[in-house]
Amino acid sequence: MSSSVLPLIEGADPANFPLDSFKVAIAVLLSKALDLSLDTAFSGVDFGRKGVDFTVAVPRFRLKSKIPELIEKVTSTFTPNHYLEQCVGESPFVHFYVRTTTLFKLVLERIHQSPASNGVPFGSNWQGAGKKVVIEFSSPNIAKPFHAGHLRSTIIGTVLSNLFEANGWDVIRMNYLGDWGKQFGLLAVGFKRYGSEESLANNAIMHLFDVYVKVNRDAALEKERGEPEITDQKAREVFRKMESGDESTLSLWRRFRELSIHKYAEVYNRLNVRFDVYAGESLVRSDHIKAAMAALEANNLLTDKTSKESNNNWKEKKVAMSLGTLRTAEEEDAEANPSGRGVAKAVDLNQWKLGKPVVQKPDGTTIYIMRDIAGVFQRYEQYKFDKHIYVVGDQQELHVAQFFKIVSLLNAPFADRLEHVSFGRVNGMSTRKGDVKFLDEILDTAKEAMLAQMQQKEEKFKDIEDPDYTADQIGMTCVKVQDMQAKRVHSYNFDPQRMTSFEGDTGAYLQYAHVRLCSIERKVAPTVVVPSDPSQINFDLLAEPKAREIVFILGTYPDVVRTALKTYEPSNIVSFCFSSAWETLIVMGQEHELAQARLFLYMSARDVLGSAMRLLSLSPLTRM
């Protein structure tokens, strides 16, 4: 290939993925040497390892000739060109090394290309254009503080939302609040017994939580002692009033819901998290619930479930609830028919080993899973989504599987568009007494630790405009990075000491790396300034292997973003952020053109690292 003109290949997007240019150039060579289609050849080009730019595993093409002969065909026909410098056979692979000058030009100029000229900034693309995804995440229960258990869903959901947007999708960020069901009935009963308007005015969420704990204790004691379950009966009566539209009951419910959302909004703002919709169980319309029940009956999916069946696994569910592994809204489901009066309605999924979930209690009130079913029909009617993702912990895998299976049995046109993004637990976020730690407490602890470390460097501390905000952002980054480093399906141990360390791949170190890159431009100004037109910079002066390594890593960023969307793994982005010791080449005191080229390189690294951090919902700092 003597010219720089490349053929069009489906799946290749050199405008947004600069390294695709080199993959296409390799595909052209493979196509000619091995008589492959360009599409097949392109699909066989992978990133290399240990200093290799790109690698092709020849056996994957399943050609009849012997592997050494095929490798010889490729290497013998190779000629260096505008994109490729070298081709090396190492059975069963062929390795390719790209032309450094072309690499620098394509990657560095694309990083600084105005989004207006291409439509999207570096790292983003239009591959999801015209498609819509609804992502449900976080989903705390009203009248309860935001605890550490909600953190993973919130972080993963936010990063997924950012990833889908970076890949051109229209994203609806939805917070589906647990704001309906018998748990509110318990809260209403508890507030009548233990509530205080003064305490509610001082700290609404904590007071409502205290009330909820007390009334739950009342209900548990009545059950354990074999006494009349007056508290539970009153809670059920309150919920029946809610479902029948009793205005005085709904007025109290609305008050508690609004107070909860106001507090959650403060926490989300601190976490750099936003939502397009605050949905909730309460907003699932009754006509959709009735229609869903009618559809279950029309499809002969409804069956009876006795109190004995409902209570068989009550002990196990009670343990799970005490550990916080069941949503509070499911407490009513676990006790679908504790009194033994009447028969509940259920869907028998035993042939798929998914049990027999209740969809309606004997008293006619709705069950959590029924509101899920009706709710997704309602959402499809409103949004016509191409994909709907539920970011829910692995403790809920059975519930989600039951929900998805029932939707499938109803032949919903969107059944194959529902996805469950599961994740493991966070261990070690409880006190010695076993109480759950609230998120504010964790974030405050991290902030205080960071502020104390910052104050040890008096000269730098003086230059920080807002130390409190800076310490909070570093602490937040520490908490989030520790969470996102682990593959989401894995549980991990929360480690406060490692979390706040500046050594190793920690959040504090990541912020420090970005600050160092920002400081280079400040230190060399006004002696060294980068021209507005990158073509005026002499990239040939960046001859060091480290410079080439950094540019190649920067060039992989769009591919990392694309891959992270396929795997739903924030850890892919985190690994990219720690993939290089960015600042190693000296700028200050160098010959002017060399200093200019190195400064441009570090400004590029700063911009890409900052973009990756924002994808992770982090706020990159410029001083610390």
Side-chain angles (χ1 to χ4, degrees), residues 165-344:
E165 284 183 345
N167 283 272
W169 286 67
D170 179 15
V171 180
I172 306 296
R173 301 163 184 251
M174 181 175 288
N175 196 340
Y176 186 63
L177 300 172
D179 63 353
W180 202 249
K182 196 196 80 177
Q183 86 275 8
F184 175 79
L186 277 170
L187 184 62
V189 172
F191 193 74
K192 190 171 183 179
R193 290 180 187 175
Y194 305 111
S196 160
E197 288 294 333
E198 183 180 352
S199 298
L200 192 67
N202 289 334
N203 191 332
I205 291 291
M206 287 308 300
H207 179 56
L208 291 175
F209 179 66
D210 289 342
V211 166
Y212 189 79
V213 169
K214 289 176 181 176
V215 74
N216 259 292
R217 186 174 59 221
D218 291 349
L221 285 173
E222 290 169 359
K223 188 178 182 72
E224 288 172 9
R225 293 170 180 171
E227 299 173 355
E229 297 178 26
I230 297 172
T231 301
D232 185 75
Q233 291 169 13
K234 287 183 176 180
R236 291 177 184 277
E237 180 58 32
V238 170
F239 183 43
R240 276 194 290 271
K241 287 183 178 180
M242 288 173 64
E243 293 225 306
S244 64
D246 181 74
E247 184 52 38
S248 63
T249 307
L250 289 175
S251 177
L252 183 65
W253 164 78
R254 279 192 291 268
R255 188 181 178 201
F256 290 168
R257 187 180 193 273
E258 288 166 7
L259 287 168
S260 299
I261 290 177
H262 178 74
K263 178 59 179 177
Y264 295 148
E266 291 178 1
V267 177
Y268 291 130
N269 185 56
R270 186 177 182 186
L271 287 170
N272 198 21
V273 170
R274 65 178 176 85
F275 291 95
D276 300 302
V277 180
Y278 276 93
E281 297 174 67
S282 64
L283 301 182
V284 178
R285 300 204 317 255
S286 59
D287 58 321
H288 279 89
I289 294 174
K290 290 175 183 176
M293 282 297 297
L296 288 172
E297 190 163 6
N299 283 276
N300 296 316
L301 295 174
L302 289 179
T303 184
D304 293 339
K305 188 169 186 178
T306 64
S307 59
K308 183 178 180 181
E309 288 179 280
S310 296
N311 286 322
N312 270 346
N313 60 349
W314 166 242
K315 289 183 179 180
E316 290 81 358
K317 287 186 176 180
K318 188 176 179 183
V319 171
M321 282 185 278
S322 70
L323 295 172
T325 59
L326 280 181
R327 296 189 203 179
T328 308
E330 287 188 317
E331 293 178 25
E332 54 169 328
D333 303 354
E335 295 183 282
N337 190 15
S339 64
R341 294 191 297 271
V343 178

Side-chain angles (χ1 to χ4, degrees), residues 148-149 152-153 156 323 325 392-397 422-429 481-495 569 571:
R152 291 207 86 181
S153 174
I156 293 169
L323 295 172
T325 59
V392 184
D394 57 11
Q395 304 96 321
Q396 293 290 316
E397 283 183 354
S422 180
F423 55 87
R425 302 183 192 184
V426 184
N427 303 315
M429 275 192 167
V481 166
Q482 185 172 93
D483 186 279
M484 291 184 284
Q485 276 181 311
K487 294 285 186 183
R488 58 177 172 77
V489 296
H490 296 157
S491 298
Y492 74 93
N493 296 319
F494 184 73
D495 185 347
E569 282 291 356
S571 60

Side-chain angles (χ1 to χ4, degrees), residues 28 57 64 70 94 101 108 141 157 164 251 277 319-320 362 369 401 500 510 514 531 559 592:
V28 170
K64 292 181 179 180
L70 296 172
V94 179
T101 53
L108 296 179
N141 297 305
F164 270 96
S251 177
V277 180
V319 171
I369 194 170
T500 54
L510 180 57
H514 187 267
D559 295 272
H592 186 72

